[in-house]
Amino acid sequence: MNVIASRYLSVARNALGMDLAWLSEHNGPEQVLQAVDGNAAPFNVAAGDALSWEGSFCTRVLDHRLPPAIPDTRANPVTAGLAVTEQVGIGSYIGSPVRLPDGTLYGMLCCISRGPHAELQDHHVRLLEALAGSLGAEMADEAHRRGTPESPHFRIPRAIGGEGLRVVVQPIVELATMCPVGVEALTRFDVAPARPDVWFAEAAELGLGLLLEMASVRAALALLPELPEPLYVSVNVSPATLSSRELLQALSGVDASRVLVEVTEHSSVADYDTLLAGADVLRRMGARIAVDDAGAGYASFRHILALRPDVIKFDREMVTQLDVDPARRALVGALVSFAAQMGATLVAEGVETPGELDVLAQLGVSCGQGYYLARPGPLPLPEISARPASLRRALAAERAGDEPPLDESVQAVLREVVARTGLEVSYLAVWDPDRETLEHRIVYDPQELGVRVGVSLPFSDTPCFRCQQAGILWTADVQNDLAGTLLDGTDLRTFVSVPVLGPAGTMVGTLCAVGRRRRYLSDPVLRHVEQLGGRIAELLARAEAARLR
């Protein structure tokens, strides 16, 4: 197919006098560039890249929000405001849908240039439409000539065996720090149809859904050794696969605390008891559970209420135009509160513009992923250069030599502790050597569990003292291991206490986190919390030095 496409792309690009031509295949929320003709380097795209469909010119051409030819994208009020215009560097554009003989949309045949192209006229549109129509017909003929190998009965078993199936990853970024905390593993297929949802639907019809899902899961888990600790990998599974023996076997061979199992089914679940039992087993192994597309309908909320997920994800439908739509902003704000009350981390998918990122950070959404932050691709992860407005202001103040307030800096660290551990509250307790007490100095308690600032206790009565006595950093059995402390009689189950050490190696406080669920914390996670304790020690030392000046 690429040979056929390349021929048409070359004709289109040269006939229209454009810099670059591509054929993309519509793939749900993405368009995958199947073939490219011209110098792609200035546009930072290549064959195989996945671009956002929702944020594209193409979808707007199809629904007539844009004309097929745009001689100057920066003079058009719609395209001038699209993030992709600047991200790819599109100065002029012309595109036509590629349809198969039965009318099915395959994708788009597009040509772009870096600068304006005033010569683009209606007859150029008619030329590109003719080329797109012929290309669609010839692609269908080629697929027909290939015969049996293109049928699902042939393709899917080969993909289950690993042929033509690969995994790319998209970073999941903590919005408070703009540091990746994990990645979502996304399955790609090297032969048509490129849309993964079509493959998985066909596999389910053939009774091969579990096997294809597990082939994708194993490919994703194989990336863990290449993924920097303590970042996690998120794998997508159906409810049936979540409860399967095959998934348990796959997770038993890896550090399950670095795996987030994302339930992708949007329809109703017939047997929630089996689903809950499967989720409980995975949690005992250390894995976490996520539900995606929160707000997509009754089924997704039913999943959330039944599973009590550790992570709740909401998609592009709620994120798009969040910065200009008060109703969407109110809905996401309510979801932030809902997730906080449940003790879940909230992740926004489909972040595509600076304005959306700014509002998500302002509303207190924990994490985000999307094309504006980083496109799906292979490891190693790209550098995340995007910054919300609040973080840009803090960095500007730091460059100007203005030290941000201690409370604000420590709060950012506490938010990171909550994101890394999956617990609900984090706080800094400061040591008073004269009185031998610990005081809750700074608290991050978004779910209002009641951990109060200013509480001062004799060190020997604190759970931190019990942890040090026992030589442990954490416990998931608070009521037994930390009996006789202020945690007695509460519904809290997991507690972490990391000493914060001053320049001389003496304790100046403790960095703590607590949650209502039993959470297994792996060694990489604990090492990261210890590093965060070191960061707080540096902040305290700088604040003390500034005070003495």
Side-chain angles (χ1 to χ4, degrees):
M1 181 198 73
N2 284 352
V3 174
I4 297 171
S6 296
R7 188 171 72 249
Y8 277 87
L9 294 180
S10 178
V11 170
R13 184 176 67 83
N14 288 302
L16 299 174
M18 304 292 278
D19 295 338
L20 188 72
W22 72 52
L23 171 66
S24 66
E25 181 175 6
H26 181 210
N27 178 15
E30 301 172 341
Q31 54 174 332
V32 179
L33 304 190
Q34 295 294 349
V36 173
D37 183 79
N39 182 11
F43 300 94
N44 194 30
V45 297
D49 282 358
L51 306 178
S52 167
W53 180 255
E54 179 63 30
S56 70
F57 288 24
C58 301
T59 185
R60 290 164 174 80
V61 170
L62 282 172
D63 62 17
H64 307 295
R65 286 178 288 169
L66 282 176
I70 305 167
D72 187 348
T73 61
R74 290 166 181 83
N76 183 296
V78 175
T79 56
L82 292 178
V84 70
T85 304
E86 295 302 323
Q87 289 171 358
V88 177
I90 305 175
S92 50
Y93 167 94
I94 183 169
S96 178
V98 176
R99 297 186 184 277
L100 302 178
D102 64 359
T104 301
L105 176 68
Y106 174 85
M108 292 288 289
L109 174 59
C110 304
C111 295
I112 61 175
S113 285
R114 294 286 289 175
H117 195 318
E119 293 77 17
L120 288 178
Q121 303 291 333
D122 287 345
H123 63 274
H124 293 121
V125 173
R126 291 194 293 273
L127 170 62
L128 195 66
E129 287 174 345
L131 288 171
S134 180
L135 174 57
E138 195 164 341
M139 287 166 52
D141 289 344
E142 174 66 14
H144 179 72
R145 282 194 298 272
R146 290 182 183 181
T148 305
E150 292 300 314
S151 73
H153 296 80
F154 182 87
R155 287 186 285 103
I156 290 171
R158 296 184 69 173
I160 290 170
E163 185 174 333
L165 181 153
R166 57 189 172 88
V167 168
V168 295
V169 297
Q170 184 172 42
I172 299 170
V173 180
E174 183 186 50
L175 301 188
T177 62
M178 294 309 295
C179 295
V181 293
V183 299
E184 181 175 1
L186 302 167
T187 306
R188 297 289 183 264
F189 297 94
D190 293 334
V191 296
R195 289 180 55 177
D197 60 328
V198 174
W199 280 77
F200 287 108
E202 290 176 339
E205 289 177 3
L206 296 175
L208 300 174
L210 171 64
L211 294 177
L212 186 60
E213 284 187 41
M214 286 309 306
S216 298
V217 168
R218 283 190 289 269
L221 297 181
L223 299 177
L224 274 174
E226 302 175 49
L227 192 65
E229 294 183 356
L231 271 62
Y232 63 82
V233 63
S234 175
V235 296
N236 295 281
V237 302
S238 64
T241 299
L242 182 143
S243 306
S244 70
R245 182 181 58 188
E246 288 82 355
L247 182 60
L248 296 181
Q249 290 173 340
L251 292 185
S252 66
V254 300
D255 179 358
S257 70
R258 297 183 63 201
V259 179
L260 178 68
V261 180
E262 189 170 329
V263 184
T264 58
E265 181 63 61
H266 301 152
S267 59
S268 60
V269 173
D271 187 356
Y272 269 106
D273 289 340
T274 300
L275 183 65
L276 291 173
D280 287 344
V281 173
L282 296 179
R283 284 192 170 112
R284 287 198 294 271
M285 297 176 70
R288 293 185 296 156
I289 306 297
V291 170
D292 73 347
D293 291 354
Y298 169 77
S300 67
F301 275 121
R302 179 84 188 275
H303 297 344
I304 290 170
L305 293 174
L307 284 170
R308 296 293 196 270
D310 304 282
V311 175
I312 298 173
K313 303 182 80 173
F314 62 99
D315 69 3
R316 177 71 188 154
E317 183 64 30
M318 293 177 66
V319 174
T320 183
Q321 297 187 329
L322 182 65
D323 49 330
V324 295
D325 188 336
R328 276 187 169 86
R329 188 179 304 204
L331 185 58
V332 172
L335 197 54
V336 170
S337 177
F338 175 75
Q341 292 296 318
M342 287 194 63
T345 299
L346 193 61
V347 177
E349 297 181 298
V351 183
E352 294 192 356
T353 69
E356 292 165 357
L357 175 61
D358 289 346
V359 174
L360 289 167
Q362 176 188 342
L363 291 174
V365 174
S366 304
C367 300
Q369 67 183 100
Y371 283 85
Y372 181 63
L373 306 180
R375 295 177 183 175
L379 291 173
L381 295 180
E383 182 179 350
I384 309 297
S385 59
R387 297 288 185 269
S390 56
L391 191 53
R392 293 197 301 271
R393 288 192 295 269
L395 292 172
E398 185 176 326
R399 285 193 295 269
D402 300 330
E403 189 77 22
L406 178 64
D407 280 21
E408 182 179 317
S409 299
V410 173
Q411 283 279 354
V413 177
L414 299 182
R415 287 195 295 271
E416 190 168 349
V417 171
V418 167
R420 291 295 194 270
T421 61
L423 299 176
E424 295 149 277
V425 181
S426 182
Y427 62 91
L428 169 65
V430 175
W431 168 244
D432 183 337
D434 296 326
R435 300 169 59 192
E436 295 189 348
T437 58
L438 275 180
E439 178 195 347
H440 295 180
R441 184 68 57 83
I442 302 174
V443 175
Y444 176 62
D445 184 6
Q447 299 170 44
E448 300 180 355
L449 292 191
V451 179
R452 300 188 305 278
V453 173
V455 173
S456 184
L457 296 170
F459 182 50
S460 59
D461 293 342
T462 65
C464 302
F465 173 75
R466 291 294 183 83
C467 285
Q468 289 190 19
Q469 253 194 340
I472 60 175
L473 295 178
W474 72 285
T475 176
D477 191 6
V478 162
Q479 299 306 314
N480 287 321
D481 292 345
L482 304 179
T485 69
L486 78 165
L487 302 181
D488 263 357
T490 69
D491 60 351
L492 301 174
R493 294 292 177 267
T494 305
F495 180 78
V496 184
S497 175
V498 170
V500 176
L501 304 178
T506 56
M507 188 180 79
V508 296
T510 57
L511 172 59
C512 304
V514 66
R516 289 173 291 192
R517 292 180 179 172
R518 287 189 170 90
R519 292 281 297 126
Y520 171 78
L521 302 180
S522 66
D523 288 342
V525 169
L526 292 171
R527 283 198 299 270
H528 191 80
V529 175
E530 289 180 302
Q531 292 170 1
L532 295 175
R535 192 186 303 175
I536 285 182
E538 293 172 4
L539 293 171
L540 293 174
R542 289 211 300 264
E544 178 63 14
R547 185 185 69 81
L548 294 176
R549 286 198 300 268

